[in-house]
Amino acid sequence: YLLFSILSIISAVLKYSPYKLSRSGNTLHRTGGIIAKQNDALAIKRIQVVKFYQPLVGRLLKLWTVYFKQVQGHEIEAQGNTNMLVPSMSRSDIGELLPKLKGIEATARTLPKRYQRIHLGWYWRRGLLPLLVPAINTYFLGLNLFTDILWIAAVLFCLGIYLKYRQYGYALEGDNLWFHSGLLGHSWQLIALSKVQHVAISQSPNQKRSGLANLEIGLASGTVTLPYISIIAARAIAEQSLALIHNDHRNWI
């Protein structure tokens, strides 16, 4: 994992350095590149989500990569599904950048320091399933080297699912919704509720009994799903978003 992270860093330096981000009116301009020179532009009003990503190495260095996710199907870079980004930013750098992005609808100025985790039920429905494979093999084959390896792999898989559960959550700040996720690294997604195009609340029978729900938020850049949150919180977020866009006739994109 560390080797691939180092190779990714070297590739990013060759691709983006010397990096420069500037604003001209309501347009962001990005230039840079050692191997091939790049010059991209993005209209600020087309930004749907601002994503702050911190991989494992980034957590050690306390640095973030900021992505501007725009309308789906109109990516900045022709190859892949990559959006305009700002690499290697500290929390203080982000605090200086966000106020300069006036026009993206979101009004947040700093990254949240805490979030509301999803319900533990999300983990119980997934976290114990990997143990079925070694359990079945142990029942028929008994304990041997093969089943021991299966048990170790299953336990590690369960641990990975638990780490993912611990990273799932959200934070609501005014009309800004933050969505947190990750595994070894983690990310924040900043969503302006005034940009929402549709909301959907779904419940399984077990979720109904526990007062939980899945909230799907549709944007022009794609959908974001908050699983296993309180039905009260899901309805509050949905109603707040609908109240904001009810009398707003501006173009979402």
Side-chain angles (χ1 to χ4, degrees):
Y1 185 92
L2 290 173
L3 176 61
F4 280 115
S5 297
I6 293 171
L7 291 176
S8 177
I9 291 171
I10 295 173
S11 175
V13 170
L14 294 175
K15 183 175 182 179
Y16 296 109
S17 182
Y19 187 95
K20 182 180 179 181
L21 181 72
S22 59
R23 176 170 181 165
S24 177
N26 291 319
T27 305
L28 291 177
H29 295 273
R30 175 180 73 98
T31 59
I34 295 177
I35 297 178
K37 297 297 182 182
Q38 300 181 50
N39 193 334
D40 300 322
L42 171 62
I44 290 180
K45 68 178 182 179
R46 298 185 71 83
I47 297 174
Q48 303 294 305
V49 176
V50 184
K51 180 179 179 180
F52 306 83
Y53 177 61
Q54 193 178 51
L56 179 59
V57 173
R59 296 186 75 170
L60 298 175
L61 299 175
K62 297 183 179 180
L63 294 175
W64 300 75
T65 298
V66 181
Y67 294 87
F68 301 117
K69 301 178 70 175
Q70 60 167 316
V71 181
Q72 198 170 41
H74 296 273
E75 291 77 17
I76 288 296
E77 296 177 271
Q79 295 183 354
N81 199 27
T82 308
N83 291 269
M84 184 180 280
L85 58 82
V86 188
S88 301
M89 300 199 76
S90 65
R91 275 186 173 264
S92 60
D93 293 332
I94 292 172
E96 294 177 6
L97 173 67
L98 288 178
K100 299 176 182 178
L101 297 176
K102 186 177 181 181
I104 64 171
E105 298 294 334
T107 57
R109 293 295 177 263
T110 59
L111 287 174
K113 294 184 178 180
R114 59 182 62 88
Y115 54 91
Q116 176 66 46
R117 290 195 180 97
I118 64 173
H119 193 269
L120 188 60
W122 183 92
Y123 173 74
W124 290 126
R125 286 186 61 85
R126 296 162 176 80
L128 300 181
L129 290 177
L131 299 177
L132 289 177
V133 175
I136 293 173
N137 280 274
T138 301
Y139 177 79
F140 288 104
L141 303 177
L143 287 174
N144 52 47
L145 179 61
F146 174 69
T147 55
D148 287 345
I149 293 174
L150 287 181
W151 277 111
I152 293 172
V155 170
L156 291 176
F157 205 89
C158 291
L159 178 61
I161 295 175
Y162 180 75
L163 292 176
K164 187 174 182 179
Y165 152 74
R166 293 279 297 180
Q167 297 276 24
Y168 258 130
Y170 69 95
L172 186 63
E173 297 179 348
D175 294 332
N176 304 307
L177 177 64
W178 292 91
F179 174 57
H180 190 270
S181 61
L183 186 62
L184 296 178
H186 64 144
S187 69
W188 284 102
Q189 293 189 66
L190 172 58
I191 301 169
L193 292 180
S194 57
K195 285 273 191 178
V196 173
Q197 292 189 330
H198 77 264
V199 291
I201 298 175
S202 60
Q203 288 181 294
S204 67
N206 287 334
Q207 286 177 322
K208 283 185 177 180
R209 287 191 289 269
S210 302
L212 303 171
N214 300 321
L215 175 64
E216 180 183 283
I217 299 173
L219 302 157
S221 59
T223 60
V224 174
T225 301
L226 297 176
Y228 277 77
I229 66 173
S230 162
I231 182 63
I232 297 175
R235 286 173 177 166
I237 294 171
E239 290 172 1
Q240 183 175 344
S241 175
L242 294 174
L244 286 172
I245 65 176
H246 178 65
N247 294 317
D248 190 346
H249 301 291
R250 293 175 298 168
N251 192 332
W252 274 298
I253 59 176

